[in-house]
Amino acid sequence: MTQAFSNFVCWKPNRIGAVINKEALSVDRADFLATHVPMRQIAYERSPHAVASASEEDLLAELHHQADASQHTFVVIKGVPGTGKSHLIRWLKERYTAERPHDAVLLIERANTSLRGTLQQIIHSGLFDRAGLPDSLQRLHEAVTELTADTLADNLLDQIKTAILELEAPELPNRIKPEKIYSFLLDIVIRDQLKRPNGPIERIAAFLSEGRSDNSGADETPGFKPEDFVFQPDMLRKLNGYPEVRKVADDLQYKSELRDALAHYLNHLLRRYAISRATRLSAQDLREMFNDLRRHLRDLGIELALFIEDITAFTGIDEGLLDVLITQHTGEGNTAYCRMTSVIGVTDSYFSDYMPDNFKQRATHQLTLSSNTALGSSDLMQDETVRVEFAARYLNAIRSDKDTLKQWVRAGASATALPVICDSCPFQETCFNAFGFINITDKGEPLRVGLYPFNRQSISTLYRGLRDSYPRTPRTYLFDILGYVLQSHSARIESGDFPPPEDELAPAVQIPSFNPPTHRQIVEKQGGAAASRLMTLLLYWGDRSANRIGGNLGSLSENVFRAFSIKVIEGAIAETIETKPAPVTESTPTNPPVTTTETNRDTRLIDAWMTTGKLSGYDRFAEWMADLVRSFIDWQAHGISLEQVKEYITQGRFEIDGQTGKSQRTHRLFFARTPELRYVLQALADLNNGENLSQAQYGEHLATLSTWLRSEEERIVAFVREPSGLNPSADYLTQILVRNVVLLACLSGELNPTDDLLNLYHQVIESCADKHKWEDRVAATKDIYPPEWRSLMRDVNNQSNVSICRRSLLQLLNRPQGRSDAVRYVDAAQVLRILDDFAAADWALPELSLVPDTTDPTWSAALAVYGALRKSFALAVTACYNDLDSYHAEMTSAFAETTPNQMLDSMQNALQGLRTVGITYSARLDEPFNKDIGSTRWTPESFDWVLSQTGSALQTATLQGRALYAGASWRTDITFLRDRVQILRLCEQEMGKKAELLTKKVDELKKKTEAAQGYQRAIEQFDQVIALLDEATRDDHDQ
Amino acid sequence: MINDLALQIHEQTQEYAQLQQVVAQADSVRDTVSLLEWITAQIGQWSDVFIAISPLLPPQIVATLRGDAVRIRRQLASSRDEFAAQNFQQATKLTQLKPKVERLLSGTKDAWCAYAEAHVAPFVELTNIAERLPKMAQKLETIVGYLANARKLAQDLPPKTDTVQQFHAHLARLDTLLSDLDGLPGDVRVFLDKLIRGTATFADVTQTVFDWCRAEGLADKLRVARF
């Protein structure tokens, strides 16, 4: 019989959809009871007394306890969508109805998520017929009629508009004040936009009248959404009416907070006013109807029990319903009502956003099915046993035909009597051994239900692997995992194509990785055509490895492979792992070996890359690849310098197909997404993360890397050698560099003028080995060379280009003798030839015929320096000569009418005179005569000599001659001339000023000498008065 | 250019050095000149006047004044010699000389005033008589004017020699104008004189006086008063 357990479908595909239904209340009662998994994780947030246990049986007992004590009961069951609220409420209703047959029980389903359907349920329940309340029924019928009317959309819109006037407005931004929104809703273009297909009004009207056929968004609260107010430009252009309408519409486009506020405001109007007005069924009507009903039931001695799947179904009149539910049967004015038990399901969002606080506080019991786990998760599903039981019960129900289950229900639906199809299966033993089973009862005879086509591991892997966007709830588990796999792939089982490739099994689930990752390659190699199915099986059903231990592969027995018609491969022989036979029990598969987080992370990234095409964390992988390539390729053998390797074999230049970031490098080496590269990346990750790999794994990895390197070496070498794709002549770069370094040496003053090429060559090579910092050389030209010269010196050394050029030239000219690169054997002939050509061209720098578009440092430096020299070298030399010419002319002019000797004498006498009369002058004027300053002491002979030499230099016509002079003797001569000319200028300037000063001072003194002239006057006065006295005292006057 | 400037500066500095030396003594010279100017002005005025009036003054007074002037001259000559020998600090000495000059001038003035007053006095008496004589009435204003001018010039040292001449011209003119009174009888002159002083008595009214009074129309203009 074992051989026959292959491609076996033991369930009825048409039963899958019937049994696995999102709406618990849409499931047939027999299926519902057969698949019911007891709730064990109900958390009480509020209760009238301490409730110890948290199971559904305890909750039912609590309802009975309340009823027996004639206590009013209002139970609110919270939970995120899909956590099983409806399931629990239906189970409670079933049990409550069965155990309290005299109570009037009303179950209100979500019923296609429409208010009309909800009202129709109330009409059809017969409660009001039985109670003889024709007015109430009439109002319900009228409401249903209104909800069916074609004018519902317009009516809703008008009622919202009216609500703006009727309701007190909440705080709103100025741009959407109520009066503006009123005009906004009057505009025909806006109204059409809101009523458009799939627009907000249609959506709300549909909720009220029809619901949605696919139950999508069943848990959503109907209303406006912010995105409803994002309008297309052509629609905005049609707004030609009120300017303020256009303004509101425009504002909404640019401010999301306005859209949020408007949606919130309109929902407020909708829920508080518009829906009840549109249906002509107010909260007050609903309250009166139920109060009439309760009075009637009280008269009959009947108690009322309401089980409401989702309060959202009453949106618009929900406050009226809640008011009914909190109204007790005791207290003043209420004693005429019957006692009432009510249980309602609410989503967490409704509870927090819409349920008024006074209603919350008056709930007698407040429970939640999602209290202890992350947001959007079910408490119940945290238990792996529950998940397995869920799978087993649903699998059993799907395997069972409907009649069998109905018969079981009719027989009392005893849990211990549930029909189990596996009991009659001819492959039970083989199936249980291979896929496992579970006993779904703890009472009486065991009910063993097989997990085929799943096993515990696959159930666990699938649930744990749910993507973050999926809530971890029973609904997701049933629909997106169990239901999806069975619905989508049942036919594959029968045809022998199950399981599908890993990315097709269940889209809601992230694809797991092999552990160790290298096993993917093993499976791929050994699996042949079935490799992809084999991978899926090992990844989900197995332990995510290809370890072959005994007869098991990836902890799966051969029967598992046989069941899906997959040939068992040899796998990886796990020598160090003790072989254990797979037990035929409920035990879980062998746990996978512990691995590091880093490995898992890298492997996940690689797997995601292969699946999605996007590679995150690519920089690590590229770095590892670069390290590998850099160290494994014999670059010297390819004639590639270490500089080039350093430049091109880098993470930034290695671009992996699909990497999430983009390198800024112009030249990159692209590596396509291939299975081979996947294994290379995996090998690099494992080896670099220091994994405790087996010898075999090392061997596999190294073989992978070796093979890949061999295949890629030629491409990589070509890239490093010629990244730009151009093909210059062999000595093209050398020619550029030689010219560069000659002119650089000239610029830095390292060349002595010579006509001997060999001498020039020696000087140039010596300059290449120069250890001085270029910056120091630049600094040494300060205050000596003209700005053009100094600017050029700075420009050429951008990015340290000078040293790169010099170093690179030596490398290019070097003819290595052995492995050492410290000793150089320079190819002088090549340089001399280039120097000869360069000299013949009078050091002219022609435009380059080829300019590679590269960021290679050597090329970049060579081109940049060449460009700078070509642009500015001749100009810099000219600037030097201009200075020289200027100073030479000025000095010559100074000696035009005198000799140096005469001029120096005159200057010295003048300075002596100034000192004598106490007139100060610049100390520099004494420099020429200062014996302590040595070389700056002026001698008539030095003037003659320098003027002669500079005059001769100025006669030089060639750029080379001028440049050599400018780089060498110019410095001394210009310093001599400039110093003297500057002092002469200073002397002339100061002496001019001193002459003016002296003139002024002499004049002043002369003014003061009027008193001195008084000397003469005094003498004259003396003489005059004496003469007068002499005249007066002569004796002859008496006669 | 530089050479020319250097040469120019060399010359300027030499001139400047010399000027600096002179300027250093300028204040003393200026003070000396200032004092000399004052002395010169005073002596200048004095010498002309002294030459003009010395013949008019008493010889002993003239001798005294001349002696003072000779001493002043001697001191000035000494100071001048020192000054000429670059000792410009003569201001002190000249300042000490100032009171002597002033005394010389005041002594000369006093001598002049004594001389002048003595010569003016007779004309004063005659004028008083003339004021009482109707026939002199027409000349009286002129007489009084000359007399006032002469008396004014007699009160201060003449600023110049012309003033002395002017003084004597005034006296000469008075003499002419009062010449009519020169022929009065003695009795009349005594009587008029006493009459002016208020001491005339009947005893002084002689027949001559009586007749002269009747002739001059003074009979009804003179009253007899009891002491």
Side-chain angles (χ1 to χ4, degrees):
Chain A
M1 293 299 286
T2 303
Q3 285 94 352
F5 182 54
S6 180
N7 305 335
F8 183 57
V9 175
C10 58
W11 55 90
K12 297 168 176 54
N14 62 341
R15 289 278 291 150
I16 299 170
V19 174
I20 302 178
N21 192 306
K22 276 187 179 174
E23 300 311 310
L25 300 182
S26 299
V27 177
D28 181 82
R29 185 164 178 260
D31 291 336
F32 172 78
L33 293 173
T35 56
H36 177 70
V37 176
M39 293 272 186
R40 304 181 181 104
Q41 299 288 338
I42 303 171
Y44 282 77
E45 294 178 336
R46 174 200 291 271
S47 63
H49 51 84
V51 179
S53 182
S55 72
E56 61 187 21
E57 289 287 352
D58 297 320
L59 175 57
L60 179 63
E62 175 67 11
L63 295 182
H64 283 308
H65 170 78
Q66 290 282 103
D68 294 342
S70 191
Q71 293 290 318
H72 176 78
T73 305
F74 172 31
V75 180
V76 175
I77 300 178
K78 289 165 52 189
V80 296
T83 45
K85 298 184 295 294
S86 300
H87 201 96
L88 175 60
I89 289 169
R90 180 167 183 180
W91 181 85
L92 285 170
K93 180 261 175 183
E94 293 289 342
R95 292 289 299 272
Y96 192 89
T97 306
E99 294 168 18
R100 302 188 86 86
H102 298 297
D103 285 4
V105 178
L106 174 59
L107 173 67
I108 299 176
E109 306 174 24
R110 192 154 33 206
N112 290 335
T113 68
S114 79
L115 179 58
R116 186 169 71 98
T118 302
L119 297 178
Q120 282 177 326
Q121 286 183 69
I122 298 173
I123 293 169
H124 296 145
S125 69
L127 268 180
F128 291 93
D129 291 335
R130 188 169 69 173
L133 298 170
D135 289 346
S136 300
L137 271 176
Q138 183 59 34
R139 279 203 292 273
L140 286 171
H141 278 298
E142 285 173 0
V144 168
T145 303
E146 290 299 328
L147 288 169
T148 315
D150 294 338
T151 56
L152 179 60
D154 275 322
N155 195 6
L156 268 176
L157 208 45
D158 289 337
Q159 294 299 345
I160 292 170
K161 189 161 58 66
T162 307
I164 293 175
L165 305 175
E166 294 291 326
L167 295 185
E168 188 176 349
E171 275 295 318
L172 285 171
N174 282 335
R175 296 180 184 214
I176 55 167
K177 284 292 183 191
E179 57 274 19
K180 293 181 181 176
I181 300 306
Y182 188 86
S183 301
F184 184 71
L185 295 178
L186 272 177
D187 189 280
I188 189 66
V189 178
I190 296 295
R191 290 174 71 90
D192 286 346
Q193 178 68 15
L194 297 177
K195 288 189 297 180
R196 71 186 187 277
N198 298 320
I201 293 298
E202 186 187 87
R203 193 171 62 238
I204 296 164
F207 157 74
L208 297 173
S209 60
E210 301 163 7
R212 292 190 175 179
S213 58
D214 59 357
N215 275 334
S216 61
D219 293 304
E220 290 179 13
T221 304
F224 291 89
K225 299 175 182 176
E227 55 267 31
D228 292 332
F229 306 107
V230 177
F231 303 137
Q232 295 299 315
D234 57 341
M235 178 260 164
L236 290 171
R237 280 193 290 273
K238 292 178 187 171
L239 289 172
N240 299 320
Y242 298 105
E244 63 264 32
V245 173
R246 176 60 190 259
K247 183 76 174 66
V248 169
D250 286 341
D251 288 343
L252 289 170
Q253 305 318 297
Y254 302 114
K255 294 194 176 292
S256 63
E257 62 269 26
L258 288 183
R259 296 197 291 270
D260 292 342
L262 180 58
H264 192 267
Y265 177 48
L266 294 183
N267 285 334
H268 167 76
L269 301 175
L270 188 71
R271 299 174 62 83
R272 291 297 177 93
Y273 188 92
I275 291 178
S276 65
R277 289 304 172 106
T279 57
R280 297 187 186 178
L281 182 66
S282 67
Q284 180 62 26
D285 292 336
L286 201 64
R287 193 158 45 236
E288 288 176 6
M289 284 167 51
F290 273 92
N291 287 344
D292 287 346
L293 176 63
R294 289 179 70 183
R295 269 193 291 271
H296 178 72
L297 294 176
R298 164 84 181 189
D299 292 342
L300 296 176
I302 298 173
E303 293 180 346
L304 178 61
L306 291 179
F307 293 87
I308 300 168
E309 184 181 353
D310 188 350
I311 192 70
T312 311
F314 286 87
T315 294
I317 54 174
D318 47 349
E319 284 192 26
L321 178 65
L322 288 169
D323 195 57
V324 169
L325 303 183
I326 64 171
T327 303
Q328 300 194 11
H329 59 288
T330 56
E332 189 178 352
N334 294 341
T335 52
Y337 301 146
C338 71
R339 194 195 70 81
M340 185 167 72
T341 295
S342 59
V343 180
I344 65 167
V346 297
T347 59
D348 286 356
S349 60
Y350 177 91
F351 187 81
S352 61
D353 297 343
Y354 296 112
M355 194 161 176
D357 287 342
N358 59 325
F359 291 138
K360 288 178 186 172
Q361 290 159 4
R362 293 172 76 174
T364 57
H365 299 70
Q366 182 178 311
L367 298 72
T368 180
L369 303 183
S370 50
S371 66
N372 297 323
T373 53
L375 192 64
S377 296
S378 157
D379 294 345
L380 181 67
M381 297 305 287
Q382 296 307 302
D383 188 344
E384 186 184 350
T385 308
V386 170
R387 296 199 295 268
V388 175
E389 185 179 342
F390 255 103
R393 284 184 179 275
Y394 274 87
L395 285 168
N396 186 57
I398 292 167
R399 290 173 190 141
S400 305
D401 62 43
K402 190 175 177 181
D403 292 340
T404 303
L405 294 179
K406 284 192 171 178
Q407 194 173 357
W408 166 68
V409 170
R410 282 197 294 274
S414 166
T416 55
L418 177 69
V420 175
I421 304 304
C422 292
D423 288 345
S424 57
C425 178
F427 308 115
Q428 186 194 50
E429 193 63 21
T430 309
C431 177
F432 281 8
N433 279 339
F435 292 92
F437 62 91
I438 184 174
N439 180 8
I440 59 171
T441 182
D442 54 0
K443 298 172 186 170
E445 288 295 315
L447 295 175
R448 301 193 307 166
V449 179
L451 300 177
Y452 176 78
F454 302 97
N455 64 0
R456 272 184 182 270
Q457 184 61 49
S458 63
I459 288 168
S460 176
T461 303
L462 285 164
Y463 184 77
R464 288 181 178 175
L466 270 172
R467 297 183 189 279
D468 292 341
S469 55
Y470 288 80
R472 292 169 187 272
T473 62
R475 184 182 294 168
T476 306
Y477 177 63
L478 291 173
F479 262 80
D480 295 303
I481 295 177
L482 298 182
Y484 185 86
V485 171
L486 293 171
Q487 284 278 26
S488 304
H489 307 306
S490 287
R492 285 175 180 263
I493 295 175
E494 207 162 13
S495 63
D497 293 328
F498 189 85
E502 55 196 311
D503 57 344
E504 295 177 17
L505 182 65
V509 178
Q510 285 182 318
I511 300 169
S513 304
F514 273 96
N515 184 19
T518 51
H519 284 198
R520 173 178 286 277
Q521 199 174 357
I522 293 172
V523 175
E524 195 165 58
K525 284 181 181 172
Q526 297 179 10
S532 63
R533 294 172 58 213
L534 198 51
M535 283 187 193
T536 306
L537 192 62
L538 293 172
L539 284 172
Y540 288 94
W541 275 258
D543 61 5
R544 295 166 42 226
S545 81
N547 283 326
R548 187 63 183 260
I549 303 171
N552 287 359
L553 178 66
S555 80
L556 297 175
S557 69
E558 289 189 12
N559 283 336
V560 173
F561 297 91
R562 197 173 295 120
F564 297 136
S565 297
I566 297 175
K567 185 181 175 185
V568 181
I569 61 172
E570 183 184 356
I573 306 301
E575 297 160 354
T576 57
I577 301 173
E578 189 181 345
T579 304
K580 289 181 181 175
V584 186
T585 64
E586 297 176 47
S587 64
T588 57
T590 308
N591 286 331
V594 176
T595 58
T596 65
T597 307
E598 205 54 44
T599 299
N600 286 335
R601 177 178 173 273
D602 290 334
T603 303
R604 278 201 305 276
L605 293 175
I606 295 167
D607 291 343
W609 175 51
M610 290 306 288
T611 308
T612 65
K614 300 290 181 191
L615 180 62
S616 300
Y618 61 91
D619 47 348
R620 280 162 58 86
F621 295 115
E623 184 67 50
W624 289 335
M625 288 169 68
D627 287 344
L628 175 73
V629 168
R630 204 181 294 121
S631 56
F632 271 67
I633 292 178
D634 183 358
W635 298 104
Q636 279 216 324
H638 291 288
I640 290 173
S641 72
L642 291 179
E643 291 285 344
Q644 289 170 294
V645 174
K646 281 181 193 169
E647 172 59 24
Y648 290 107
I649 305 302
T650 63
Q651 173 259 320
R653 292 196 184 275
F654 277 27
E655 182 179 9
I656 302 172
D657 190 2
Q659 67 182 38
T660 50
K662 187 170 176 63
S663 171
Q664 299 302 310
R665 297 285 192 167
T666 305
H667 300 295
R668 301 185 296 274
L669 191 58
F670 182 78
F671 294 92
R673 183 165 61 108
T674 62
E676 289 75 21
L677 187 60
R678 172 190 194 142
Y679 300 131
V680 169
L681 297 185
Q682 190 63 63
L684 289 170
D686 287 350
L687 292 169
N688 279 287
N689 284 321
E691 286 310 306
N692 189 16
L693 302 174
S694 67
Q695 288 183 351
Q697 286 171 326
Y698 269 117
E700 286 165 16
H701 282 334
L702 292 178
T704 298
L705 297 178
S706 177
T707 304
W708 179 76
L709 275 168
R710 274 200 304 278
S711 67
E712 290 284 353
E713 183 168 351
E714 187 179 348
R715 193 168 74 93
I716 294 170
V717 167
F719 170 75
V720 176
R721 183 182 288 146
E722 193 51 61
S724 67
L726 296 176
N727 188 24
S729 62
D731 65 345
Y732 188 75
L733 180 59
T734 309
Q735 284 197 40
I736 294 172
L737 288 172
V738 167
R739 291 170 187 168
N740 286 351
V741 298
V742 167
L743 300 191
L744 289 173
C746 181
L747 273 177
S748 61
E750 295 170 275
L751 289 186
N752 289 317
T754 179
D755 294 329
D756 182 4
L757 269 186
L758 193 59
N759 181 262
L760 180 64
Y761 158 77
H762 283 141
Q763 293 189 60
V764 168
I765 294 300
E766 193 177 343
S767 75
C768 288
D770 180 51
K771 298 296 182 191
H772 288 92
K773 287 184 178 176
W774 185 260
E775 291 80 4
D776 294 340
R777 298 249 181 221
V778 176
T781 62
K782 190 178 180 185
D783 300 330
I784 298 174
Y785 277 88
E788 292 86 346
W789 189 280
R790 302 190 65 237
S791 175
L792 176 59
M793 286 190 77
R794 282 193 296 271
D795 289 349
V796 293
N797 199 36
N798 188 26
Q799 308 287 332
S800 299
N801 283 341
V802 171
S803 63
I804 295 173
C805 283
R806 290 175 162 181
R807 192 171 62 242
S808 300
L809 178 63
L810 289 181
Q811 283 193 354
L812 280 173
L813 298 176
N814 193 19
R815 297 295 175 262
Q817 307 293 305
R819 298 181 65 84
S820 171
D821 62 352
V823 181
R824 292 197 166 88
Y825 297 86
V826 177
D827 183 359
Q830 185 184 9
V831 183
L832 286 169
R833 191 171 60 249
I834 295 170
L835 287 177
D836 195 22
D837 293 343
F838 194 34
D842 191 22
W843 285 12
L845 296 174
E847 187 174 359
L848 291 174
S849 58
L850 204 63
V851 181
D853 179 18
T854 174
T855 53
D856 168 69
T858 303
W859 273 104
S860 299
L863 294 172
V865 170
Y866 189 89
L869 290 169
R870 184 167 184 273
K871 179 183 172 190
S872 305
F873 184 76
L875 295 174
V877 172
T878 301
C880 286
Y881 263 69
N882 287 342
D883 281 0
L884 186 72
D885 194 19
S886 169
Y887 286 121
H888 181 270
E890 195 167 343
M891 184 62 82
T892 305
S893 170
F895 296 125
E897 296 176 357
T898 184
T899 64
N901 212 5
Q902 288 172 334
M903 192 178 74
L904 290 174
D905 281 348
S906 299
M907 283 173 63
Q908 203 160 14
N909 288 337
L911 296 176
Q912 177 62 45
L914 289 172
R915 284 195 297 274
T916 301
V917 298
I919 293 179
T920 58
Y921 55 87
S922 169
R924 288 205 69 195
L925 300 185
D926 282 331
E927 281 183 16
F929 314 103
N930 193 338
K931 293 178 182 176
D932 298 333
I933 300 186
S935 62
T936 62
R937 179 172 164 76
W938 293 11
T939 60
E941 300 76 28
S942 61
F943 281 95
D944 293 338
W945 187 82
V946 170
L947 285 174
S948 167
Q949 175 163 306
T950 51
S952 173
L954 286 167
Q955 297 301 313
T956 306
T958 63
L959 174 63
Q960 181 182 353
R962 288 189 162 217
L964 283 169
Y965 172 77
S969 304
W970 183 90
R971 177 191 296 257
T972 311
D973 292 348
I974 201 74
T975 303
F976 180 95
L977 287 178
R978 182 157 48 205
D979 284 354
R980 279 148 185 77
V981 165
Q982 282 177 351
I983 288 179
L984 286 177
R985 283 180 189 163
L986 182 65
C987 191
E988 185 175 343
Q989 187 181 3
E990 284 217 25
M991 286 199 176
K993 288 181 183 173
K994 301 305 179 196
E996 279 181 27
L997 179 66
L998 277 168
T999 302
K1000 194 174 170 185
K1001 281 180 172 286
V1002 166
D1003 287 346
E1004 284 174 0
L1005 281 183
K1006 281 181 177 174
K1007 285 179 187 171
K1008 288 184 180 178
T1009 54
E1010 282 178 1
Q1013 286 168 359
Y1015 164 79
Q1016 190 59 40
R1017 178 165 170 71
I1019 294 295
E1020 290 169 5
Q1021 290 277 322
F1022 272 120
D1023 292 345
Q1024 184 183 353
V1025 73
I1026 288 170
L1028 285 170
L1029 288 169
D1030 285 346
E1031 175 67 17
T1033 55
R1034 273 193 293 119
D1035 289 341
D1036 55 1
H1037 293 309
D1038 298 335
Q1039 277 77 35
Chain B
M1 182 69 179
I2 295 173
N3 199 48
D4 295 343
L5 274 171
L7 291 172
Q8 179 187 341
I9 285 176
H10 181 60
E11 291 171 5
Q12 283 178 311
T13 50
Q14 284 183 323
E15 182 185 6
Y16 185 68
Q18 290 168 342
L19 284 169
Q20 276 181 319
Q21 196 174 0
V22 171
V23 167
Q25 306 282 346
D27 290 344
S28 297
V29 173
R30 188 164 46 248
D31 292 345
T32 300
V33 169
S34 177
L35 283 165
L36 278 174
E37 285 174 343
W38 181 83
I39 292 171
T40 303
Q42 299 299 313
I43 296 298
Q45 183 193 356
W46 172 82
S47 67
D48 286 350
V49 173
F50 183 73
I51 290 170
I53 67 172
S54 59
L56 306 175
L57 301 178
Q60 66 273 24
I61 291 176
V62 171
T64 302
L65 292 173
R66 184 175 290 132
D68 291 343
V70 168
R71 281 189 289 276
I72 290 171
R73 186 228 178 254
R74 194 180 305 124
Q75 288 184 14
L76 282 170
S78 170
S79 191
R80 191 248 183 225
D81 292 343
E82 289 180 15
F83 188 84
Q86 305 295 317
N87 181 1
F88 302 124
Q89 310 295 328
Q90 298 304 317
T92 307
K93 288 183 179 175
L94 292 178
T95 302
Q96 290 170 353
L97 202 57
K98 276 179 77 176
K100 294 178 181 176
V101 173
E102 287 169 346
R103 274 199 303 275
L104 177 64
L105 262 69
S106 63
T108 306
K109 176 190 167 188
D110 292 344
W112 162 259
C113 290
Y115 164 79
E117 283 294 332
H119 283 77
V120 169
F123 293 107
V124 172
E125 184 182 349
L126 289 174
T127 301
N128 288 335
I129 294 169
E131 285 174 348
R132 285 161 179 80
L133 297 178
K135 70 174 184 178
M136 295 296 286
Q138 281 188 326
K139 301 178 187 176
L140 190 60
E141 188 177 353
T142 307
I143 292 167
V144 169
Y146 280 113
L147 183 63
N149 286 338
R151 295 184 74 174
K152 186 179 178 185
L153 293 174
Q155 289 174 359
D156 208 346
L157 189 66
K160 48 192 178 182
T161 54
D162 292 349
T163 308
V164 177
Q165 291 169 0
Q166 195 178 4
F167 175 75
H168 285 109
H170 289 334
L171 292 184
R173 187 70 183 143
L174 282 172
D175 190 55
T176 301
L177 289 170
L178 292 170
S179 61
D180 290 344
L181 296 178
D182 286 345
L184 288 176
D187 292 350
V188 174
R189 188 178 291 268
V190 171
F191 171 75
L192 288 175
D193 185 52
K194 288 185 177 180
L195 187 72
I196 293 166
R197 288 195 290 268
T199 60
T201 63
F202 270 113
D204 295 317
V205 182
T206 66
Q207 189 59 45
T208 305
V209 171
F210 188 80
D211 293 340
W212 178 83
C213 287
R214 288 226 178 232
E216 290 293 327
L218 292 172
D220 57 346
K221 292 183 181 176
L222 298 174
R223 270 188 307 172
V224 179
R226 189 176 59 91
F227 292 102

